[in-house]
Amino acid sequence: MKIRFWGVRGSIPTPPTDAVMRDKLRKALLQASPADISSEESIDRFIDSLPYSIRGTYGGNTTCLEVRTADDDIFIIDCGTGIRHLSAELMKEEFGRGQGIANILLTHTHWDHIQGIPFFVPFFVKGNRFHIYSPFSDIKERVEYQQVFTHFPVNLDSMLATKEFFILEKEAPFHLNNVTIINKRMRHPGGAFGYRIQEDGKSFVFTSDCEFNIDEIDQIDSYRDFFWNADVVVFDTQYTFEEAIDKIDWGHSSASIAIDIALRFNVKKLLLFHHEPSYSDEKLETVLSNARTYMSMSARRKGVLDIDIAREGVIIEL
Ligand SMILES: [Zn+2]
Ligand SMILES: [Zn+2]
């Protein structure tokens, strides 16, 4: 299975400002020597040598992931603004000819997870077929409501692709070709669901938005089957440890909690996700390095868990 990140930011899109762009440019130029900028090749080498927070961005689009299975089935996880870039990519394929088929898994319907739907071009193309899954029994009404005339000029029905809604049984597996998908209810205002996708002995867990506070930790073993032995877990780490204490019941977690859970359940790789909108790329790099430090504080933990931070455009193959 192949997983691609199209949107990784939490809560609200965060396009880079003029000041952010200037700061990146300034930092890069301050580090450059005359030799670094003596030819096009040396400029490319120099750019590649810079920290990612200077040469790029972790991304400002809200949640959207694409999962392609070995059978080439497509699963889109959430429809935040990142779906606009996925949209352009899909339109180059059969979706541009009205012959595309894809599945959409929705975790919940907070704006940052559905706000890309009105701009998802494959929904406008007659002939495309989408199966939209969620354990929320009123999922169709929720998605339709975003596009009532007072909020958007085109309602969902006027987007000509076929869109079928399926209500998943809570915490029960469902199967599609060789893939098994299990949903798990997460603590989050209004509720949210994580998904575990399994294929050919590989498993991918996506859980955002989720709050693992003291109450959840008390019953942590009820999450064992959901996380157990996963190859990759994408986890909501919007807050630092201090912020998580300050913002109890806001519905998000921190990297230290994510690491504790990943270690407890034998996870192989953890990706920090749902980045706080106020965090700069530099701050996100600090979040990652602090997470790795926390992980290595105990010798027992060393090398057990691979930790990285999600960024737009990254592809992971399992
Ligand atoms: Zn969210
Ligand atoms: Zn949410």
Side-chain angles (χ1 to χ4, degrees):
M1 128 179 51
K2 202 189 268 187
I3 302 140
R4 184 159 182 181
F5 292 81
W6 294 98
V8 299
R9 188 67 60 168
S11 309
I12 190 166
T14 56
T17 61
D18 184 56
V20 166
M21 296 306 296
R22 188 184 172 91
D23 185 54
K24 285 178 192 284
L25 206 53
R26 192 169 182 281
K27 281 181 177 145
L29 290 173
L30 281 170
Q31 291 190 29
S33 70
D36 288 328
I37 52 171
S38 60
S39 69
E40 291 205 9
E41 290 73 25
S42 67
I43 288 173
D44 280 330
R45 260 199 314 277
F46 170 66
I47 292 172
D48 290 341
S49 74
L50 291 168
Y52 191 74
S53 58
I54 297 178
R55 70 184 156 92
T57 177
Y58 290 91
N61 281 297
T62 58
T63 303
C64 181
L65 277 76
E66 173 193 5
V67 179
R68 295 235 179 190
T69 68
D71 291 329
D72 219 22
D73 286 320
I74 301 171
F75 289 89
I76 298 166
I77 303 179
D78 280 347
C79 305
T81 59
I83 206 169
R84 199 169 69 82
H85 297 295
L86 168 61
S87 176
E89 207 55 33
L90 291 178
M91 287 299 288
K92 294 178 192 162
E93 306 173 19
E94 56 270 40
F95 291 89
R97 302 189 298 272
Q99 294 164 357
I101 301 173
N103 307 287
I104 297 177
L105 302 172
L106 292 175
T107 59
H108 64 315
T109 50
H110 284 160
W111 292 125
D112 53 323
H113 299 259
I114 60 167
Q115 67 199 143
I117 292 175
F119 302 92
F120 185 46
V121 182
F123 264 19
F124 286 93
V125 182
K126 195 172 177 178
N128 288 334
R129 301 184 67 86
F130 292 91
H131 299 149
I132 302 165
Y133 297 94
S134 162
F136 289 110
S137 58
D138 57 347
I139 188 64
K140 186 167 186 279
E141 291 73 26
R142 289 176 180 218
V143 173
E144 282 173 342
Y145 181 63
Q146 179 176 228
Q147 283 170 247
V148 297
F149 193 67
T150 47
H151 295 317
F152 195 71
V154 183
N155 65 34
L156 194 70
D157 267 351
S158 303
M159 300 170 97
L160 295 176
T162 303
K163 300 167 292 297
E164 288 179 86
F165 288 82
F166 298 91
I167 296 156
L168 296 171
E169 191 184 333
K170 289 189 179 78
E171 311 207 354
F174 90 90
H175 306 275
L176 189 93
N177 296 328
N178 278 329
V179 179
T180 302
I181 294 163
I182 298 150
N183 68 78
K184 176 82 182 158
R185 191 176 174 92
M186 294 292 155
R187 185 186 183 111
H188 190 67
F193 290 84
Y195 290 101
R196 179 183 175 114
I197 303 177
Q198 300 177 162
E199 183 189 38
D200 295 335
K202 297 284 181 186
S203 44
F204 169 62
V205 170
F206 177 84
T207 178
S208 179
D209 307 19
C210 59
E211 177 174 353
F212 281 85
N213 62 22
I214 202 83
D215 297 334
E216 292 320 300
I217 295 304
D218 276 351
Q219 44 173 328
I220 195 65
D221 283 329
S222 65
Y223 292 90
R224 185 183 189 278
D225 291 351
F226 184 68
F227 287 111
W228 183 250
N229 248 341
D231 293 283
V232 174
V233 170
V234 174
F235 200 103
D236 177 344
T237 57
Q238 179 153 350
Y239 302 142
T240 61
F241 182 69
E242 295 78 14
E243 285 165 346
I245 292 168
D246 230 29
K247 295 180 173 177
I248 284 176
D249 287 338
W250 286 38
H252 302 287
S253 294
S254 67
S256 53
I257 280 287
I259 292 166
D260 289 347
I261 291 170
L263 286 170
R264 183 183 186 99
F265 295 132
N266 214 26
V267 168
K268 297 179 186 74
K269 186 180 177 82
L270 172 69
L271 277 151
L272 314 180
F273 188 79
H274 205 271
H275 308 320
E276 160 65 31
S278 64
Y279 285 3
S280 65
D281 289 308
E282 215 174 354
K283 169 87 178 180
L284 290 175
E285 252 156 33
T286 307
V287 169
L288 175 61
S289 90
N290 288 348
R292 286 176 172 160
T293 303
Y294 177 72
M295 166 72 191
S296 63
M297 268 163 25
S298 148
R300 182 177 60 82
R301 294 168 155 184
K302 241 176 209 152
V304 177
L305 174 67
D306 180 15
I307 303 174
D308 213 333
I309 189 160
R311 67 177 163 88
E312 275 179 34
V314 157
I315 298 173
I316 295 176
E317 267 191 79
L318 296 184

